[in-house]
Amino acid sequence: MDSNLSFKHRYHIGKSVKNFLMGYFTEYETPKIVLIHSAKHAILLRIIQIIMLIYSIVYLLIYQKGYQQQSTAIVSSVTLKLKGIGYVQTTENKTIIIDVADYIIPPSENNAVFIMTNFIQTDQTRSTCAESIKVKEARCKHDNDCFNKTFSPKMNGRWTGRCLLSPKTNVINGTIKNTKTPTGLCEYAGWCPPEDDDISTMLVQDVPSFTIFIKNFIEFPVFRVKHKNMVDELKPCIFHPQHHKDCPIFSINYIMSEAEKNITERNLMLRHGGVIRIKLDWDCNLDRGIKLCKPKYSFARLDVPFHEEPFSIGFNFRYASHWKYNQQNVRTLTKAFGLRLIIAISGRAGKFGFITLTLNIGSLVGIFGLATFLCDIALLHLSKKAHTYRNHIFEIVHLRTRAISAIALPPQFIRKLDAEYSNSDSDLDAQLPYKTPETSPASTGKRVTIGPVSYINTDQ
């Protein structure tokens, strides 16, 4: 008995798979179309379709160049050259001339350049001397105050453990007394004397008149196209947004004016330093020719403005120049303030592509389905006859199998059905194909049969 049930189960599964494959390759399905005569809804549909058509053609295809194959992969190289002569007026009323080799530190960087606009120089030798007065931990009264001190980042060297007390000076006659001041500074071994930030800095003059030449070479590897930001037969020029738009030579004054509109902030940037971003944006339409492609220059300040009183203002760093004099190590410590210019390159290129155009047209055709979707919402949910429209558009079919229907039936009814539709001889050919009862719940003309399963009328 169990083997017969197992065989029947496998037979049902095999026949279901066979029916599915037969229906998959021999049946065609199409959605139901309901034609509604309504001028109001028809006009609404056409208006939405016209709006989408204009949006698709004007914006997506023409403005966004939907007919082109786009690529943002760009390979670029930047070379920066500065020109200009500056000078510094010292406290001794002397003039120091500064050229490119003096104010460009370091001489070469990748996509960046630093222009020194202000600096402090301190000549130092290796010896012992008093610590800087700015180091509060260095204040002492006895040598014991300089022992076992914790390390401080402000220290200028290794403390020796001595407390240096300076002699008192008579301010009136300038004589020096043998008595010492009650408070002194700890002694350290290192480069002496320590740097003093409170002394007057050496501001480089005429920095805004300096010029920078930006040479940019690019390549779009997808299209195998190379280009540069210099026109053929380039003549000496200075960039101007109206008169010399193709000139790659900029004045520092123009760059600072574009990056920072406040003249007070610009003056503080020359004194304390700052960071400016120079961006070259390439947007090339290769259908018109690569020579017509020109970059767009933009400038922006990256450091925090001074009026916001940041923790660390401007941009500065220190470097030293070393040499020997009379077998003694000597160096000049320079604290440099200046403008750091960072170059950023971005680009996009497009060229007509038939495959891209075909895909975009297919996407635009799909957008038109949104018009029907919006009209269906208005028709089925917002109109006065929404219920009537839904009855014509949606058709509800109740599918009830023999097994499910039998659950709710009394036992005597099930036995009656079994007696009517079963075969005592257990013949598979006679037992499996059931017939649909004449009193099936399916209405006339809408009878639904799924495989060998019949539908039972529960009203009998």
Side-chain angles (χ1 to χ4, degrees):
M1 183 67 180
D2 293 340
S3 61
N4 291 335
L5 293 176
S6 176
F7 179 73
K8 293 177 182 178
H9 180 68
R10 290 196 300 269
Y11 181 81
H12 277 291
I13 295 176
K15 193 167 185 180
S16 299
V17 173
K18 179 181 177 181
N19 293 336
F20 171 77
L21 295 177
M22 289 293 295
Y24 183 80
F25 290 102
T26 60
E27 295 177 356
Y28 172 76
E29 297 179 356
T30 183
K32 181 179 180 180
I33 298 177
V34 178
L35 182 62
I36 301 175
H37 293 277
S38 174
K40 178 175 64 176
H41 293 94
I43 293 174
L44 177 62
L45 176 64
R46 302 311 173 204
I47 291 176
I48 296 176
Q49 288 179 341
I50 291 173
I51 293 175
M52 290 184 175
L53 180 64
I54 295 174
Y55 167 78
S56 302
I57 296 177
V58 176
Y59 181 75
L60 296 180
L61 284 181
I62 299 177
Y63 182 76
Q64 291 291 340
K65 298 181 177 63
Y67 57 89
Q68 288 185 337
Q69 178 187 358
Q70 301 286 337
S71 174
T72 57
I74 183 173
V75 180
S76 68
S77 174
V78 178
T79 303
L80 304 174
K81 290 185 177 181
L82 277 99
K83 288 186 177 181
I85 301 296
Y87 67 92
V88 174
Q89 201 73 31
T90 64
T91 55
E92 294 84 7
N93 201 20
K94 294 182 180 179
T95 301
I96 301 177
I97 303 300
I98 297 180
D99 61 8
V100 177
D102 296 321
Y103 58 73
I104 299 299
I105 308 165
S108 178
E109 291 187 76
N110 291 330
N111 298 338
V113 65
F114 175 78
I115 306 172
M116 185 177 66
T117 60
N118 192 16
F119 61 95
I120 300 173
Q121 284 187 339
T122 306
D123 294 329
Q124 298 175 320
T125 58
R126 291 186 187 273
S127 60
T128 58
C129 58
E131 184 60 272
S132 173
I133 195 174
K134 290 185 176 181
V135 183
K136 295 180 179 180
E137 296 84 351
R139 297 176 183 177
C140 61
K141 293 182 179 180
H142 307 284
D143 291 344
N144 294 334
D145 298 335
C146 299
F147 275 110
N148 298 326
K149 287 285 187 178
T150 58
F151 174 79
S152 173
K154 296 181 180 180
M155 291 181 178
N156 290 281
R158 180 178 173 273
W159 287 3
T160 62
R162 294 178 57 193
C163 180
L164 301 180
L165 301 175
S166 58
K168 290 183 178 181
T169 303
N170 191 329
V171 180
I172 298 176
N173 54 21
T175 59
I176 300 176
K177 298 181 181 181
N178 292 328
T179 57
K180 303 287 185 176
T181 56
T183 304
L185 295 170
C186 293
E187 182 186 57
Y188 76 92
W191 292 100
C192 295
E195 182 186 66
D196 186 5
D197 290 344
D198 293 335
I199 64 174
S200 59
T201 58
M202 306 174 72
L203 186 65
V204 181
Q205 305 295 327
D206 286 346
V207 172
S209 64
F210 294 174
T211 59
I212 179 172
F213 180 21
I214 303 176
K215 293 195 297 183
N216 182 210
F217 301 92
I218 64 169
E219 178 186 7
F220 292 100
V222 174
F223 304 108
R224 299 180 181 179
V225 173
K226 298 179 181 180
H227 195 38
K228 59 183 182 298
N229 67 328
M230 297 171 290
V231 297
D232 297 335
E233 300 179 359
L234 180 64
K235 298 179 181 179
C237 60
I238 300 294
F239 178 87
H240 191 276
Q242 281 81 31
H243 305 298
H244 299 286
K245 295 187 294 183
D246 298 333
C247 183
I249 303 174
F250 300 83
S251 68
I252 301 299
N253 182 56
Y254 177 80
I255 294 175
M256 294 185 65
S257 299
E258 290 294 315
E260 177 57 65
K261 303 299 182 182
N262 192 321
I263 187 172
T264 303
E265 290 284 331
R266 294 202 298 268
N267 293 332
L268 291 174
M269 290 176 67
L270 293 175
R271 183 170 295 276
H272 299 288
V275 182
I276 297 177
R277 185 262 297 157
I278 303 175
K279 184 178 181 180
L280 281 73
D281 188 17
W282 296 83
D283 190 359
C284 299
N285 185 358
L286 300 183
D287 294 332
R288 300 190 307 166
I290 189 62
K291 290 187 176 181
L292 297 177
C293 182
K294 308 294 181 183
K296 292 183 179 180
Y297 299 91
S298 60
F299 309 89
R301 182 181 179 183
L302 300 182
D303 63 302
V304 181
F306 298 101
H307 67 268
E308 297 183 9
E309 298 180 357
F311 173 77
S312 178
I313 63 174
F315 183 84
N316 64 81
F317 61 90
R318 292 175 175 86
Y319 70 97
S321 303
H322 297 79
W323 70 93
K324 278 191 174 183
Y325 179 74
N326 292 334
Q327 301 301 317
Q328 187 178 16
N329 291 318
V330 182
R331 78 173 186 180
T332 298
L333 178 64
T334 303
K335 183 178 182 180
F337 306 84
L339 301 175
R340 178 170 173 80
L341 308 180
I342 300 176
I343 311 299
I345 309 296
S346 64
R348 181 182 65 175
K351 191 175 183 179
F352 176 79
F354 179 76
I355 296 178
T356 304
L357 177 61
T358 304
L359 293 176
N360 288 334
I361 291 177
S363 300
L364 297 180
V365 171
I367 293 178
F368 281 93
L370 183 61
T372 305
F373 174 75
L374 296 176
C375 288
D376 286 344
I377 293 177
L379 189 70
L380 302 177
H381 300 280
L382 303 179
S383 64
K384 295 181 179 179
K385 298 181 179 180
H387 180 72
T388 304
Y389 294 144
R390 283 197 294 269
N391 291 336
H392 287 83
I393 293 177
F394 299 106
E395 181 178 353
I396 300 176
V397 179
H398 297 282
L399 302 179
R400 303 178 66 186
T401 63
R402 180 177 184 269
I404 296 175
S405 301
I407 294 175
L409 300 179
Q412 63 273 16
F413 187 72
I414 297 176
R415 286 193 299 269
K416 179 181 178 181
L417 292 175
D418 289 338
E420 181 180 357
Y421 299 107
S422 63
N423 190 342
S424 58
D425 296 333
S426 300
D427 187 279
L428 290 175
D429 294 333
Q431 186 176 7
L432 292 176
Y434 295 107
K435 65 178 180 178
T436 303
E438 296 179 357
T439 58
S440 174
S443 60
T444 306
K446 294 184 180 180
R447 179 171 298 175
V448 179
T449 302
I450 300 179
V453 182
S454 300
Y455 294 90
I456 302 172
N457 191 347
T458 59
D459 295 334
Q460 293 179 351

